Amino acid sequence: MIQHFKFGHMLPTDSVVLDLPVQSGEIPFLTRDGDGWRYAMDERDIVYGLGEMVRSINKRGWHYLTNNSDQPHHTEDKQSLYGAHNFFIVNGTGGRPTFGVFVDFAGCVAYDIGYTEHSVLTFRTAEPDYDLYLLTDDSLAGICRELRRLVGRSYIPPKWAFGLAQSRWGYKCEEDVRRVADEYRRNHLPLDMICMDIDYMQDFADFTVNRERFPDLPALAADLKERGIHLVPIIDAGIRADGQNDVCREGLANDYFCRKEDGTPFVAAVWPGDAYFPDFLRPEVRDWFGRKYQALTDQGIDGFWNDMNEPALFYTPEHLQDVAREAGALAAKGNLDMYDFFRLQELFGSLSNNPDDYRSFYHLIDGKPVRHDRVHNLYGYQMTRAAGEAFAAIRPGIRTLLYSRSSCIGSHRYGGIWLGDNDASWAQLLENVRQMPSVQMCGYLYSGADLGGFGGDTTPDLALRWLQFGLFTPLMRNHSALGTRDQEYYRFRDLLPAMRRMLELRMALLPYLYSEFMKAALRDGLYFRPLGFDFPEDEWARHTDDQLLLGEGLMVAPVCTQNAIGRSVYLPEPMKMLRIRSLTDYDEEELPAGHHYVACGLEEVLIFLRPGHLVPLVRPAESVAALDESSFTFWGYLPEGQDTGSYELYTDDGNTTDYDRPEHWRILRA
């Protein structure tokens, strides 16, 4: 059941697709707390959700702010990351309430979940104008289904997007890209995508190609597709301020960019220097910007990643001048004491993503100016929407890969997300595990993190352990920053055979992984789930946050600690453990429910089969397109006395949007 409550006159978000009558009277479970809401938690209550946030799957014990932020340091003291996912579930036991809350609001929402008072949850919006939805069902998964019924079906990418994506900020020319493809194929490492960061552009301008570095992009794209590899270029939110650039000229001529209070275009610096920012909250601007992607789709590109769309701001010219004046005065003073030195640090640190800059420009909504900070969390969402709606027109009936850094519930209908600019650390691997079910509760099924870490230098063992989890995530992308260690999987010569075997495992499992993804997308379910979703009365299961259920038949338990030779696991039911070194070399052991310590060497990955379930496998190939899904082998755990089992397989052409045909489903038996 979904109950709809309205407060004031909210700015439109277009997050909700279900038209529900507005309820009157008190909101069940919640009580007023000044300008917000309050819930008294029991000691055993768990709070799930909030999507892309730091800390555990259980969000108790911290305060959070949904304020999309260009924040590469994902340490546990942070309150905001790249997404605004205003959905949470309170899960009570022993007769205590279980319910979900979705706050439909364009600005910041502050959550205090046992931070100020251990047993009190509060939340409040930055303005008193919002819609609130209360969701209830008999199960936690059912509450998530109710949310998706409310906000719409999740985005479905092409099937080739479930292969490996190799990315790096630093592939500067066609030769770099071809070398990556050659090395993957020479080393027999499966690969389906190579992502191009900003270096493919001419002067970092969207929808342009540097013809010196990439003299024939259509030929490059076609050559790679012949080898089963798709090019996936980046598109940024800021438009280079350049009178010679067609996109810039059109945007200025049609008044498509965000404005300052005086009506002139807002300017801030990003990669190209001065840039303008399309007003994506206007339908005509979304239509204009979205159709610009055709400049690349006409050259054979069928996948994109949208970046810098919080939007990230390096600085504004006005604020830069203010900082320069004050810093210059301090420098002229010389012999800075502690306070002057700290002030100097503060000044330079204030240049990027400054709150005052976000309050200095405006959007037009229904013809009226609205200050950006009031609708900040919609910006990346509406950029993704612009692209998604355009692809439906440019490439009708064909799936286009699209994922974004910034997001807000609603954008899940148009594209996936990656979890932003993480770093090469074991803590970030664990965060990746914890974030996956949380973002999927909010509708972002096609999601994943930068495997190996984006910032800093990864290590061979971290790259391998992260791959051992990443091989299960829908988006499987290895991405790293300029100036960091090269981390393509063929670089790690001593661990290369293990890297190859893990990538082969991904390919062999693809019929299962793709089927479970499509079941979640088409039936409003979850691909990843916390153990507590299936075992809500099991206290150990409810408090386990480094093991995940994957689809109907698997549990994964990655090793997230350096130099570990195994790990502790909790099994809420009997399971069969597979300790896998390769598809033909693995140990099997049936384990009873309870606590276990299981060995897991560096070149091994753990999979747990649930009772009564089969997992289909195929012979691995070097690309998704090359997989032969005409015959299967199976891993399974059938209870004693059960000689045969079955699995519901989803198979389609992987390319068109005709998802719902009944012939896509069939039952496999073994």
Side-chain angles (χ1 to χ4, degrees):
M1 183 173 68
I2 306 174
Q3 295 172 269
H4 176 200
F5 300 88
K6 181 178 286 290
F7 302 92
H9 303 283
M10 64 172 278
L11 292 167
T13 66
D14 295 336
S15 293
V16 169
V17 299
L18 191 64
D19 187 15
L20 293 174
V22 177
Q23 306 265 321
S24 59
E26 295 183 354
I27 299 179
F29 313 124
L30 304 177
T31 57
R32 268 293 187 185
D33 183 45
D35 57 353
W37 297 94
R38 178 184 184 95
Y39 179 72
M41 296 184 291
D42 182 79
E43 187 64 29
R44 293 179 299 167
D45 287 350
I46 284 180
V47 180
Y48 293 109
L50 295 188
E52 190 179 357
M53 288 291 186
V54 298
R55 300 191 173 230
S56 178
I57 292 174
N58 182 0
K59 310 317 292 185
R60 288 188 67 156
W62 189 239
H63 53 153
Y64 308 89
L65 185 68
T66 51
N67 178 42
N68 291 354
S69 303
D70 176 16
Q71 177 52 265
H73 305 296
H74 302 182
T75 50
E76 66 176 24
D77 60 318
K78 298 301 184 293
Q79 292 179 265
S80 303
L81 294 177
Y82 301 95
H85 306 144
N86 290 303
F87 171 65
F88 66 88
I89 300 173
V90 175
N91 174 217
T93 60
R96 291 275 301 174
T98 292
F99 60 94
V101 173
F102 172 56
V103 183
D104 189 10
F105 182 64
C108 296
V109 184
Y111 300 87
D112 184 326
I113 308 178
Y115 172 74
T116 300
E117 297 180 66
H118 175 69
S119 298
V120 174
L121 179 157
T122 64
F123 63 95
R124 50 183 41 82
T125 55
E127 297 180 7
D129 304 294
Y130 59 95
D131 281 14
L132 187 150
Y133 296 85
L134 191 89
L135 301 89
T136 53
D137 192 83
D138 292 337
S139 69
L140 293 162
I143 291 174
C144 293
R145 277 193 298 272
E146 288 291 87
L147 176 73
R148 296 260 277 293
R149 187 165 69 92
L150 179 67
V151 300
R153 175 182 279 184
S154 295
Y155 162 78
I156 297 173
K159 190 172 183 178
W160 54 259
F162 289 82
L164 175 67
Q166 179 58 60
S167 183
R168 181 172 173 83
W169 175 17
Y171 297 154
K172 294 183 179 297
C173 59
E174 178 177 328
E175 289 73 20
D176 289 346
V177 172
R178 289 189 181 274
R179 187 179 305 113
V180 171
D182 290 345
E183 287 297 315
Y184 267 90
R185 289 294 179 256
R186 185 174 70 83
N187 287 284
H188 302 291
L189 297 168
L191 180 69
D192 277 83
M193 296 167 274
I194 297 176
C195 302
M196 299 193 299
D197 212 309
I198 55 177
D199 294 302
Y200 82 90
M201 300 177 183
Q202 180 66 51
D203 300 320
F204 308 124
D206 279 348
F207 311 114
T208 66
V209 178
N210 186 312
R211 296 302 177 186
E212 292 183 8
R213 296 180 174 185
F214 293 86
D216 194 341
L217 185 65
L220 175 62
D223 288 350
L224 291 178
K225 280 185 185 177
E226 285 292 315
R227 306 172 75 180
I229 301 170
H230 298 254
L231 284 178
V232 182
I234 195 172
I235 298 294
D236 286 330
I239 300 297
R240 176 183 168 86
D242 178 358
Q244 303 304 308
N245 177 274
D246 289 344
V247 179
C248 178
R249 287 204 308 270
E250 288 177 21
L252 289 171
N254 292 284
D255 195 22
Y256 283 160
F257 297 132
C258 295
R259 305 170 177 176
K260 295 191 290 187
E261 190 171 14
D262 63 7
T264 60
F266 170 74
V267 176
V270 278
W271 302 118
D274 285 354
Y276 300 115
F277 293 82
D279 186 356
F280 294 121
L281 276 65
R282 294 159 58 189
E284 68 273 22
V285 177
R286 289 197 299 273
D287 181 69
W288 165 75
F289 186 88
R291 289 182 180 276
K292 294 301 175 186
Y293 286 82
Q294 192 166 0
L296 293 168
T297 60
D298 283 351
Q299 299 184 64
I301 301 300
D302 48 12
F304 298 88
W305 48 304
N306 286 349
D307 196 9
M308 302 289 285
N309 51 351
E310 293 74 32
L313 308 176
F314 289 174
Y315 62 83
T316 59
E318 297 86 353
H319 188 52
L320 178 63
Q321 291 302 314
D322 291 341
V323 167
R325 279 192 294 272
E326 188 172 348
L330 288 170
K333 176 181 177 182
N335 190 22
L336 303 183
D337 63 20
M338 174 181 69
Y339 300 106
D340 286 340
F341 175 71
F342 287 163
R343 176 56 181 162
L344 192 63
Q345 285 186 314
E346 181 183 26
L347 282 170
F348 288 115
S350 74
L351 280 173
S352 297
N353 307 312
N354 188 289
D356 287 339
D357 291 334
Y358 289 120
R359 288 189 285 266
S360 71
F361 65 98
Y362 292 78
H363 302 268
L364 282 181
I365 298 179
D366 296 330
K368 298 178 181 178
V370 176
R371 204 172 68 188
H372 172 80
D373 60 300
R374 299 182 61 201
V375 291
H376 173 72
N377 291 333
L378 299 182
Y379 194 78
Y381 160 18
Q382 297 297 338
M383 180 186 180
T384 298
R385 180 182 183 181
E389 291 179 338
F391 296 147
I394 294 169
R395 309 178 76 232
I398 303 298
R399 306 182 212 177
T400 303
L401 173 61
L402 178 63
Y403 55 93
S404 171
R405 189 170 77 174
S406 179
S407 61
C408 176
I409 290 177
S411 72
H412 72 287
R413 300 193 296 270
Y414 304 100
I417 58 172
W418 91 98
L419 300 176
D421 297 343
N422 59 11
D423 63 65
S425 69
W426 294 86
Q428 294 291 281
L429 166 55
L430 178 59
E431 179 178 272
N432 183 190
V433 176
R434 291 167 166 174
Q435 284 184 340
M436 290 307 297
S438 298
V439 298
Q440 296 207 343
M441 291 176 207
C442 298
Y444 295 93
L445 297 182
Y446 189 72
S447 50
D450 288 342
L451 305 182
F454 174 72
D457 293 330
T458 198
T459 60
D461 56 341
L462 177 59
L464 179 54
R465 287 297 197 196
W466 213 324
L467 175 59
Q468 289 166 358
F469 177 64
L471 70 88
F472 299 109
T473 62
L475 170 59
M476 181 175 65
R477 182 175 81 150
N478 176 340
H479 184 45
S480 55
L482 185 70
T484 64
R485 177 182 190 169
D486 293 328
Q487 63 183 46
E488 296 86 0
Y489 290 122
Y490 55 78
R491 304 280 185 181
F492 305 103
R493 304 308 299 180
D494 57 334
L495 291 177
L496 180 58
M499 300 285 190
R500 182 184 302 113
R501 291 191 292 266
M502 293 301 117
L503 290 170
E504 289 174 345
L505 177 59
R506 164 67 167 221
M507 302 304 281
L509 283 168
L510 203 68
Y512 177 83
L513 302 179
Y514 185 67
S515 292
E516 296 305 313
F517 181 93
M518 294 303 288
K519 291 172 190 176
L522 299 177
R523 298 170 179 172
D524 295 337
L526 296 174
Y527 174 92
F528 279 124
R529 303 182 306 285
L531 270 60
F533 269 52
D534 286 35
F535 303 95
E537 300 303 320
D538 184 331
E539 286 301 310
W540 285 109
R542 296 175 75 235
H543 288 89
T544 298
D545 71 351
D546 60 352
Q547 303 168 209
L548 301 176
L549 300 171
L550 195 174
E552 66 182 47
L554 286 185
M555 184 185 79
V556 297
V559 174
C560 300
T561 305
Q562 191 166 31
N563 301 319
I565 59 171
R567 58 158 295 165
S568 296
V569 295
Y570 175 70
L571 306 185
E573 63 183 350
M575 295 186 184
K576 179 188 284 187
M577 181 189 73
L578 302 183
R579 184 186 298 108
I580 302 170
R581 292 169 289 279
S582 75
L583 285 164
T584 57
D585 180 14
Y586 55 88
D587 307 319
E588 294 183 76
E589 185 177 359
E590 294 184 14
L591 297 174
H595 296 275
H596 305 270
Y597 184 86
V598 294
C600 185
L602 178 59
E603 300 186 10
E604 299 175 324
V605 63
L606 300 172
I607 293 179
F608 295 84
L609 303 174
R610 299 186 65 184
H613 290 282
L614 295 179
V615 174
L617 301 104
V618 293
R619 183 182 179 88
E622 292 186 1
S623 69
V624 172
L627 287 173
D628 178 2
E629 297 188 45
S630 62
S631 62
F632 301 89
T633 57
F634 296 90
W635 283 332
Y637 180 30
L638 302 180
E640 188 174 348
Q642 182 179 337
D643 297 327
T644 61
S646 63
Y647 178 74
E648 185 185 29
L649 182 78
Y650 180 94
T651 306
D652 61 12
D653 64 12
N655 195 44
T656 61
T657 57
D658 191 8
Y659 315 117
D660 294 302
R661 295 171 62 180
E663 57 264 37
H664 294 329
W665 301 95
R666 61 185 169 123
I667 301 297
L668 302 179
R669 301 187 187 278

